[in-house]
Amino acid sequence: MGDEWAESAATWDDDPIVRFYSEEAFRMVEEKVAPLLDLSASTVLDVGCGTGLLSRKLASRCLKVVSVDPSEAMVRQCRDKSADVPNMEIICGVVDDVADRRFDLAVASSVCAFVDDYVAFLRTVARTSTFFLQLDWRNDRATLGDYGAGFSETLLDDCLRNVGFTPKFLGNMFEIKPDEDTPTGYVIGALAERPISKDDLLSSNMDDDEEDGLPEEVTETSYFDCSNGTSVECIIL
């Protein structure tokens, strides 16, 4: 399969909108996440990291950043530009490749519109991460035209809740207006939290007696139709 980002990877960071987006995304981490999570003690997953603009900012505040992107060209750029950042681990792959790991926070900045199956993506993130911050273009035809790959509060709320996340914030995060002739673009986002599960407790340094004292999981399967017509299978613990 070809790398659709190969041609743009080398000059990706030269785009002022790309740089501005990463700066604003980091500001949202500081404003929305930092009051709820000790970043200095946190391991963060930056999924769809691209060239690592946001990852390097996160690494300046966090214990460790795991940066994942499926584009080999983007990952090469990320590795070259992050060679002097010791607390970054860079992986060429997708979120499923780190599904067996645990993160305090996962960040997806201008990523979710490009994944093949948004709900499946969220399910994996919900298994791996306590907090999740998503930033994407608002579903606004004036900005996106016929592309239509943006998000709404309803879609974010429906899908996040039905894979086990509880939204802490939903709404506009920031806006982008590169010039007078270009319509203002609105970046919508969500910060969500997943309740601590039995698996989280078992993954900590717990002795056998403590493990035996945990209640058995009780699960129930339900189905929910999101506003985009996607049927979501939810496992309720």
Side-chain angles (χ1 to χ4, degrees):
M1 184 174 65
D3 186 346
E4 61 183 300
W5 300 98
E7 292 185 3
S8 56
T11 58
W12 188 253
D13 293 355
D14 297 337
D15 187 333
I17 294 179
V18 169
R19 295 197 303 271
F20 178 77
Y21 202 117
S22 70
E23 290 164 1
E24 290 295 285
F26 182 64
R27 182 171 67 84
M28 292 300 100
V29 172
E30 294 276 24
E31 289 186 5
K32 306 295 185 185
V33 181
L36 303 175
L37 182 66
D38 180 4
L39 294 175
S40 66
S42 296
T43 299
V44 178
L45 172 64
D46 184 8
V47 57
C49 66
T51 60
L53 276 171
L54 178 57
S55 287
R56 289 187 289 278
K57 291 178 174 65
L58 292 169
S60 71
R61 288 279 278 116
C62 302
L63 179 66
K64 182 176 181 178
V65 177
V66 177
S67 306
V68 177
D69 199 284
S71 166
E72 293 181 359
M74 286 289 192
V75 166
R76 280 195 299 271
Q77 291 290 324
C78 185
R79 285 177 175 149
D80 289 345
K81 295 176 179 181
S82 311
D84 60 346
V85 185
N87 60 331
M88 276 180 64
E89 177 185 352
I90 303 166
I91 299 170
C92 186
V94 296
V95 68
D96 289 337
D97 295 319
V98 293
D100 60 342
R101 300 173 66 169
R102 294 291 180 268
F103 302 96
D104 301 294
L105 168 69
V107 179
S109 178
S110 191
V111 168
C112 294
F114 299 97
V115 300
D116 292 333
D117 187 330
Y118 175 56
V119 174
F121 170 87
L122 286 181
R123 282 199 193 102
T124 303
V125 173
R127 288 198 303 269
T128 65
S129 305
T130 303
F131 285 93
F132 175 53
L133 178 66
Q134 176 181 339
L135 301 164
D136 272 290
W137 294 105
R138 174 177 282 282
N139 190 2
D140 178 7
R141 187 166 294 278
T143 302
L144 298 174
D146 292 332
Y147 180 54
F151 287 79
S152 67
E153 283 95 342
T154 300
L155 176 60
L156 290 170
D157 189 59
D158 287 351
C159 292
L160 287 167
R161 288 186 185 279
N162 284 278
V163 298
F165 276 119
T166 300
K168 311 292 285 186
F169 174 85
L170 288 165
N172 284 341
M173 293 286 193
F174 55 91
E175 60 185 55
I176 296 178
K177 186 172 177 60
D179 55 60
E180 293 182 357
D181 298 327
T182 304
T184 300
Y186 296 94
V187 175
I188 192 173
L191 173 63
E193 183 178 10
R194 175 181 57 82
I196 296 175
S197 68
K198 180 179 177 180
D199 286 342
D200 295 324
L201 296 174
L202 294 179
S203 67
S204 64
N205 292 326
M206 178 183 296
D207 61 33
D208 292 338
D209 290 338
E210 290 175 307
E211 179 176 340
D212 290 340
L214 289 172
E216 291 297 320
E217 293 182 4
V218 178
T219 63
E220 174 186 345
T221 302
S222 63
Y223 296 87
F224 184 87
D225 290 328
C226 290
S227 58
N228 68 343
T230 303
S231 180
V232 183
E233 178 182 350
C234 307
I235 306 298
I236 305 171
L237 298 181

